[in-house]
Amino acid sequence: MQVQQQEIEAVEAKLNRQNGLAAAIAAALWAVPMLILWYWLYLQDDRFAPLMLAVSGALIGLTVRYYGRGFMPVFGVIAVISHTAVVAAAFVFGLSLGEGQSVRAFILVGLYAIGVWSAVYLGRRRIPFAQHRAFYLLCEQSRHVSTQRLRNRWFLLVPVTVILSGLTLGGTLFALTGVEIFRQTASQQSQVVEQRQAFAAKAIDVTSANLATLSTEDAMRFAFAYYHGQLPAKKGNRYERYPQSEYKAKRILSFLAEQRGEARAKFVLGWLTYPEGGATLIKQAADDGDIFAKIMLATEFGCYGNTEQATRLLNMLAKTTAEKPALNEIYSILQSGFEQVCEEFSAPDFAQMYLP
């Protein structure tokens, strides 16, 4: 077979440039940005995550091809090992599928197979057709000296690729774990802040101008909500969480008592400020006709020892009111006895029952 010396020299120069060790090291190092790219795409749109099974193989193959400049089959093996290591790391970190996605197994296997084929095909260089005869003469008829060099021997390249890929990808997974923990923590904190802001946005303005626009019923509901941290529904027994502020609850009650002369507001505010000025408000509420203020004053007679008069007053109040909660309170006091009632009576409990 006639082969020109010029062709032999050109092919031999290419064979001498083969460097399997450089390809193995480069593949292990470049696996890091490829895994990071996979993670970044996963965060941007997790639908692209399965495609990286194929794309990563092509990128690894090009890396081995560029740094190794090799024609031997071992360069394809280096590319496959590195690509498989990247895929395994992605699976370990949960990047192979997007959250909530359902991709059939044969599709994943097919994408991985495409990646392997791309890694093998792109990892090895090809001799131009015009130089085939020279390549056959140098490599097929006898083993070329470049294949005997230590940097191109498979028993060195395979373990180097496996060990380096494991080290670099293991370190990358450790770093990405830290990034993911930080990202999730930041996301949770952001959600907490947003929830707090949305929660705080429920609170109404307690300025006189704004309270003047509310009906007395709604104002009492918001006073209850501010005091207990629960906003009662207008109908039914449903409640929802509400920003809590005793000051704002008293501010609303004070507005209703002073600006509208609301007897119930005076009674509740009296209970909440008892005994510092509260007794006067309760007396005013009773004078204005609030049934619960009257029950409270009548109960005081029983607490101070005048049980007969207190009983008569409560019975009279029971005959003059149609409010079921008031009747229940009267009958509960009469049934329990004044001694027990006076021990268990507390302003917050009473206010919780009768704020709305």
Side-chain angles (χ1 to χ4, degrees):
M1 180 171 53
Q2 298 294 327
V3 183
Q4 297 182 1
Q5 184 62 30
Q6 184 179 1
E7 293 182 9
I8 295 175
E9 292 176 355
V11 171
E12 189 165 22
K14 292 180 180 180
L15 293 175
N16 288 330
R17 286 197 296 267
Q18 294 182 115
N19 193 329
L21 187 59
I25 295 174
L29 294 177
W30 277 96
V32 173
M34 291 180 194
L35 184 59
I36 295 175
L37 172 64
W38 200 327
Y39 175 69
W40 181 79
L41 289 174
Y42 180 86
L43 294 181
Q44 299 303 311
D45 191 338
D46 56 16
R47 292 175 298 178
F48 294 116
L51 296 177
M52 283 298 294
L53 290 167
V55 174
S56 61
L59 294 176
I60 289 290
L62 291 173
T63 300
V64 173
R65 183 189 189 95
Y66 178 80
Y67 287 95
R69 300 188 296 271
F71 301 91
M72 300 161 51
V74 72
F75 289 90
V77 175
I78 293 172
V80 170
I81 293 174
S82 183
H83 170 244
T84 302
V86 173
V87 171
F91 266 86
V92 169
F93 203 67
L95 303 179
S96 57
L97 283 178
E99 183 178 353
Q101 289 196 58
S102 177
V103 181
R104 295 184 181 276
F106 74 87
I107 296 179
L108 296 178
V109 173
L111 290 172
Y112 172 70
I114 293 173
V116 170
W117 178 85
S118 300
V120 173
Y121 182 80
L122 297 176
R124 294 176 59 191
R125 290 178 177 268
R126 300 293 185 273
I127 289 293
F129 182 78
Q131 297 177 341
H132 273 189
R133 290 177 299 177
F135 185 79
Y136 176 81
L137 179 65
L138 293 173
C139 296
E140 300 295 337
Q141 289 188 347
S142 62
R143 300 186 65 179
H144 191 263
V145 65
S146 64
T147 64
Q148 303 299 313
R149 291 172 182 162
L150 184 61
R151 69 185 187 186
N152 293 326
R153 301 303 294 271
W154 69 268
F155 56 78
L156 174 65
L157 300 182
V158 170
V160 167
T161 304
V162 172
I163 294 173
L164 283 182
S165 296
L167 290 175
T168 56
L169 291 174
T172 305
L173 287 178
F174 181 79
L176 289 180
T177 299
V179 171
E180 185 65 15
I181 292 174
F182 176 80
R183 191 181 70 85
Q184 291 182 2
T185 301
S187 177
Q188 291 174 355
Q189 291 177 346
S190 177
Q191 291 178 359
V192 169
V193 171
E194 291 177 358
Q195 290 174 355
R196 287 178 179 174
Q197 291 176 346
F199 183 62
K202 294 181 179 180
I204 65 166
D205 186 2
V206 294
T207 60
S208 298
N210 184 62
L211 294 176
T213 64
L214 301 177
S215 66
T216 298
E217 179 184 0
D218 284 341
M220 290 293 287
R221 287 176 56 248
F222 286 116
F224 178 94
Y226 269 125
Y227 190 81
H228 295 288
Q230 291 183 317
L231 178 65
K234 290 186 177 182
K235 295 181 180 180
N237 297 321
R238 293 179 293 105
Y239 294 84
E240 62 178 276
R241 290 181 63 248
Y242 197 83
Q244 196 167 8
S245 172
E246 183 177 348
Y247 165 78
K248 291 184 178 181
K250 292 179 179 178
R251 172 71 184 89
I252 296 174
L253 294 170
S254 178
F255 171 84
L256 294 175
E258 295 174 2
Q259 301 298 321
R260 297 184 183 178
E262 177 60 35
R264 182 61 51 82
K266 291 180 181 179
F267 165 68
V268 176
L269 184 60
W271 260 111
L272 297 181
T273 58
Y274 191 86
E276 298 85 3
T280 301
L281 287 171
I282 293 173
K283 179 65 167 59
Q284 292 177 6
D287 293 340
D288 292 340
D290 184 77
I291 183 61
F292 293 105
K294 293 178 180 180
I295 294 172
M296 188 273 173
L297 294 179
T299 305
E300 282 188 340
F301 286 108
C303 291
Y304 288 122
N306 198 340
T307 58
E308 292 184 5
Q309 185 176 358
T311 301
R312 286 197 300 271
L313 289 173
L314 290 174
N315 284 323
M316 290 177 58
L317 291 173
K319 295 178 180 179
T320 59
T321 183
E323 292 189 43
K324 188 174 181 179
L327 289 172
N328 292 337
E329 185 66 23
I330 292 171
Y331 295 144
S332 176
I333 294 171
L334 293 175
Q335 183 178 4
S336 300
F338 291 101
E339 182 177 352
Q340 181 177 351
V341 170
C342 294
E343 290 179 356
E344 297 178 354
F345 235 25
S346 63
D349 291 343
F350 205 91
Q352 183 176 5
M353 295 170 63
Y354 306 116
L355 254 176

